[in-house]
Amino acid sequence: MDFDEGALARLRVACGTDPLWDVSLSLHLLQNRQESLVYDAWRREVRATLHREGLTEDVRALMPLCPASGYFPDFLTPGTGEASLEHGIDRVMSTPRRRLVTELTRLCADLRGPVPRSVRWVATGDPAALRWLGTTLRRYHAVAVSPYLGAIGARVAQDRARRAEAVLGGGAEGLLASYTELPGWQWHGTRLAAPYPEARLMRLRGRTLTVVPGFFCVRAPLTLVNETLPPVLVYPVPPDPGWLPRLRAGAGRPSMAQLIGTSRAQLLELLHRPMTTTALAAALRLAPSTASRHAAVLREAGLVVTRREGNRVLHRRTALGRALLEGTAPEPATAPGASPDTP
């Protein structure tokens, strides 16, 4: 991608993941074994729930429309991170038949063997087929994505805070340079290069590029194939290994939000590394004064420490704050010269 000054001014980062990109990308993961340490527990849980809910056959019929590798139709991902699930499904179900035929014909060219019945049916534009598609997308999202929105939101908030700091420090160019933290990404002057599955130059032509985080996006970014559609770049924001066991382990305890409030719980989650008040406010979409008050309350409770570095004031959570998040006992402090077992 090449960025001139106008393109940099129009660059936009979505506030969160897009529900239909989540559906498509998670369908890919359900069909392959990529990143097994990160997603295998999720795969087992989702497959068991699909079976229990009687959705296995419908989801199997959905998979040929969104195969694990290669091309999948653009009409399945009409959003750019701002639309609700229902709005996105309405757009999918309203896809003109000509577009259905065009994109599904391209899909069939990559398929081996006979064209699956579900693909032929959707390509007809039959209202019953589109209702089935919309219902299956909705029910699949309820099983494979919706139960994990807490983990998705927390991971995206961490990433968004990092991007906010990059913007504050270097503007739009600093934001684009921050993506070089991802494997294989490079920023050279006005060009952002990423390890896309095939060689391709994205042409913005004066349009706004929306960069969308993808919790189920792994290894390489994705974008729409049809260059006449609003440009979108979905980039990987995967969770850490063990995220699902940790999520389930905390399910039986009172949530942090119940104990200290939603905003303060989110703020404490973000402070696994030092952050300024401005960056916290941007990540949580709060006024800086509100973020400062929350940090002060957490600091008074011993959950956060604040220190000055140059002209910046940085906050970071303490061992007690981490223990409260993880539901574990904090390690006792050891006096200088004393044994760790000293009372």
Side-chain angles (χ1 to χ4, degrees), residues 130-339:
L130 294 176
R131 283 196 299 272
W132 167 82
L133 177 59
T135 299
T136 304
L137 291 171
R138 184 182 298 109
R139 296 183 68 192
Y140 173 79
H141 184 278
V143 169
V145 179
S146 186
Y148 312 99
L149 287 177
I152 293 171
R155 181 66 188 91
V156 170
Q158 292 175 357
D159 183 80
R160 189 169 175 81
R162 172 69 189 98
R163 306 309 160 199
E165 283 191 323
V167 170
L168 291 170
E173 291 187 4
L175 170 64
L176 292 172
S178 74
Y179 290 109
T180 60
E181 298 168 352
L182 301 174
W185 290 59
Q186 298 177 349
W187 169 245
H188 301 294
T190 61
R191 173 167 289 192
L192 179 66
Y196 198 70
E198 60 185 40
R200 181 178 175 190
L201 177 63
M202 181 182 287
R203 297 176 176 86
L204 299 179
R205 301 190 181 97
R207 298 171 298 170
T208 298
L209 172 67
T210 302
V211 186
V212 182
F215 185 82
F216 297 103
C217 182
V218 298
R219 301 184 185 178
L222 291 172
T223 188
L224 300 172
V225 172
N226 186 343
E227 294 188 356
T228 67
L229 297 171
V232 176
L233 183 69
V234 181
Y235 66 97
V237 186
D240 295 324
W243 67 276
L244 186 53
R246 288 194 297 272
L247 179 67
R248 292 295 173 247
R253 300 192 299 266
S255 70
M256 286 291 297
Q258 289 176 297
L259 294 173
I260 62 175
T262 301
S263 294
R264 290 172 190 167
Q266 292 174 339
L267 188 149
L268 199 58
E269 285 274 7
L270 290 173
L271 289 179
H272 61 94
R273 58 184 178 80
M275 291 181 63
T276 64
T277 301
T278 304
L280 286 169
L284 297 173
R285 306 179 74 183
L286 298 173
S289 58
T290 304
S292 179
R293 286 198 300 273
H294 288 321
V297 170
L298 295 175
R299 183 170 58 251
E300 290 170 5
L303 305 178
V304 166
V305 292
T306 301
R307 69 175 186 274
R308 178 175 292 277
E309 288 189 2
N311 60 356
R312 298 195 306 167
V313 175
L314 297 172
H315 310 285
R316 187 166 191 166
R317 71 182 179 218
T318 63
L320 180 61
R322 184 176 66 252
L324 185 61
L325 280 174
E326 297 175 353
T328 58
E331 295 181 4
T334 302
S339 163

